[in-house]
Amino acid sequence: MEDGVVNDLNVRIRLEPNTKGLVLGKVQTGTNVKIIKQSEPYIADGKNNCWYQIQLDGYPICWIFGGYISKKEDYFKNFGVIE
């Protein structure tokens, strides 16, 4: 597992890795998740990315679209916290 961070507001988390999957909830910028695995490439919201299967406190194993999650190390580099 790898650490990830949500990088946008009101990001839907889903039961399945597609835009028709049941929405389990919404997460906010800065929410920490554990990345379990990723799907094949997928186009959603006009973006080509993959889905990440994640573990998040208070939810069953679920999925988030890759355009809305960053690997934790990359997230903090973008904010100048680490070099």
Side-chain angles (χ1 to χ4, degrees):
M1 275 195 253
E2 191 170 359
D3 291 326
V5 181
V6 176
N7 61 25
D8 208 343
L9 295 172
N10 297 315
V11 177
R12 292 177 293 271
I13 53 173
R14 297 180 181 272
L15 191 57
E16 299 171 358
N18 61 61
T19 55
K20 295 183 194 278
L22 176 67
V23 175
L24 299 174
K26 293 183 179 181
V27 292
Q28 304 303 316
T29 305
T31 301
N32 292 302
V33 301
K34 293 285 186 190
I35 299 170
I36 300 168
K37 66 180 179 180
Q38 70 183 50
S39 72
E40 295 296 318
Y42 187 92
I43 297 175
D45 295 335
K47 300 174 186 174
N48 187 6
N49 212 311
C50 60
W51 288 85
Y52 286 96
Q53 188 179 52
I54 59 170
Q55 186 175 18
L56 177 65
D57 289 342
Y59 291 94
I61 300 296
C62 53
W63 294 85
I64 187 170
F65 188 64
Y68 303 113
I69 189 168
S70 299
K71 306 263 171 106
K72 195 167 197 171
E73 181 178 302
D74 296 335
Y75 180 82
F76 287 111
K77 280 182 184 174
N78 290 339
F79 286 100
V81 176
I82 60 175
E83 295 179 13

